Amino acid sequence: MRTQVGLASWLGGGSVFIVLLAVFSMAIACAVLLHRLVEQQALVRAQLAVASARELMRRVGEDALSDARVLAERPTLQRLLTDGSNGIEPFLQRFTQTTGSDVVALLRDGSVVAESSQAVDWSEIITAIQEQGERFVIGPKSGGPLIWGAAAPVPSGDVRAVALRLATPELLARLGNQVGAQLRVVNFSTYHAPPDDPLTPVHTRALADTSRAAESMLDRGRSYAASLVLAAQTGEVVGLLDAELSGAESIAELRSFNWILTSTALIVAIIAGLAGMFYGRWLARPVVALRDLAERIGRGDFSAAMPGIAPLEVGGLALAMNAMRENLISLTEALRRREAEAQAVLNGVVEGVFAVDHERRISYANGQVAKLLGRPPSEIIGRFCGDVLQPQPIDGERPCERLCPIVHARTEAHSARETLCVRDGSKRSTIIQSAPPIHGVQVQILRDETDLEAARRARDSVLGNISHEFRTPLAAQLASIELLRDGLEGMPPEAQRELIAGLERGGSRLMRLVDNLLESVRIEAGQLSIRHQPVNLSEVIADANDLMAPLLAQRQLRLSVDVEGIAAVVTGDAQRLAQVFVNLLANAVKFSPEGSTIYIGGRRLEEQIEVWVEDEGPGVPLGSSLTIFERFQRGTEAEPDAPGLGLGLWIVKSIIDRHGGSVRVGRTAEQRTRFSLLLPLDKGNDT
């Protein structure tokens, strides 16, 4: 019984201690955090107060400028100056009483003509006007309050009206009531940073960083102060503006919160302690019974009766645990052998094999997966499969979101073709075969079909395009040959010439198709070489026009060439550039209405020349200005018969890119389709 009581005491006492420690730790932490928060709020209030006060003082300077301008424009003042009357000074004194200015005066050629009072040193005022302009602020070198002033010229004569406002205690008290703080302005001319002044460190930090206010807590939180530098228009420091707030309100709030927090913590601790003691006593009873049972099992007494709080099969549980231990040892050895066998099989297969958990994190990957992805196992295991495989997005969305084969395979086996973006920048075409999950684990087989898919696409593309594009001109040529053969003796010469011209056009078209196919093969294989030499652009375009003359005549198209615009020498390969313009003209001929005009023009742009080919066709569909230059990209349903292989514009872009230029398509104001080329000019021949 003593052991049970002791255990209950330990459990209850531990519960009480932990609860008390947690409650008081939270209370202390809350108090400290609140104290810091109150301090920060008070410092921020001090910063806002001093910033607001500086803004109010800036307005004081604006008021002084307004007073000076009003004084300068007073007709009475102008009359008194003209008459030379002795009533100027009484007039100035009355003006200060009505406007709120402390001192007003009239200056001529650096000397005082008249003033309302003799409270300032006018030599410093005159110097400040010369240096700072119509608005100025100075700290008198002889001491005293800072002066905000302004000068305005009197319309008649060379006299300037000056209005001054001093940082008097009355002004600071009025501004302090507006910002809710006690204000003080220190004249920097006479400031000597007294070491016993608590604001000296604040002044030092404010002078070190004049762009922001320096703040500090004074007298252990009884007050908070902030200081800002006051500078003249020239950037010269003329004074320090201090704002001080009382901390009595913050201290009272802290004391009230601490009292409430302490009382709450004590009440919670007492309740938790009592509950812990009762819970410890209740919890100790089954623990003591289990201890007694463990001692009997240790002595081999498996026939002991179990108390009501414990199962009667405790003795049998001990024997079952011992048998389970032996079974676990043998089972672990068998599992290790099977794991080694499975690892050998998985590393020997050609395909990649990996497994994921319910959250699609990779838990296993064989060597083929690491080799295919170019990643070490440390960057594969434990990561989300989509981040490792990097499947190519479909319509801007990763397949992992909605088309993941792993998710689809959770109901039945599923396979999908995915394009993976490998780390080295290449793309791999793969087939992922996913199996349904077993005990939360899904196995996938990853088969690389990049080379097979590339060969299949190349074969299908070439065969399909060749069979379609070559059949039409060949059929037309065969028909023309049959007509020539049947009517060779009786056919009029004009008809024979027409058939021969058709054969010539068909041959030219077949030649262009063959050239484009061969050029695409060279580009795809990386064998397209560009010679960099001076090329006369006009001659290149003339050669292209000669090659396209039969097609232009067939469709009754006119060609307008801006000879002056294209007269330039570029750096490049004449043969390749001629092929570029042949393809662009062929594209224009294909889409231009019969009897329309094709325009070729150009203009110089510093170190480049822009050349364009325009036609009056329907234009490029919306959103196709970039995809139209892709390989095997063909026109829409609006494209005429025999549209081509879809290689011409791709070859144009490939050749122009290798020349260091660019190509784009757009629509002109005349509703023509314009293909524009940018080519670098040859610097040695550029005139």
Side-chain angles (χ1 to χ4, degrees), residues 372-373 389-392 416-422 426-432 446-457:
L372 173 64
L373 300 178
L389 300 180
Q390 293 292 331
Q392 185 177 9
R417 185 178 298 276
E418 299 281 358
T419 300
L420 307 184
C421 302
V422 187
S426 63
K427 296 182 179 179
R428 311 298 296 178
S429 179
T430 62
I431 292 181
I432 300 178
L446 183 65
R447 185 165 64 252
D448 186 6
E449 292 193 348
T450 303
D451 298 336
L452 181 61
E453 181 66 20
R456 186 186 300 116
R457 287 199 304 269

Side-chain angles (χ1 to χ4, degrees), residues 167-233:
T168 60
E170 293 79 11
L171 175 64
L172 295 177
R174 178 168 57 84
L175 298 181
N177 291 333
Q178 296 182 30
V179 300
Q182 184 178 355
L183 301 179
R184 184 181 72 166
V185 175
V186 179
N187 189 340
F188 190 72
S189 299
T190 58
Y191 180 68
H192 61 279
D196 56 345
D197 189 353
L199 289 176
T200 296
V202 184
H203 292 163
T204 302
R205 286 189 282 114
L207 291 170
D209 186 2
T210 59
S211 63
R212 60 181 299 273
E215 72 285 345
S216 178
M217 180 179 64
L218 305 178
D219 196 14
R220 296 182 180 181
R222 289 184 174 85
S223 63
Y224 298 86
S227 180
L228 266 175
V229 170
L230 298 176
Q233 300 290 339

Side-chain angles (χ1 to χ4, degrees), residues 599-614:
Y599 300 88
I600 298 179
R603 60 172 179 171
R604 295 199 177 199
L605 301 172
E606 296 182 355
E607 297 182 356
Q608 292 179 315
I609 183 172
E610 181 184 10
V611 186
W612 57 77
V613 177
E614 295 181 1

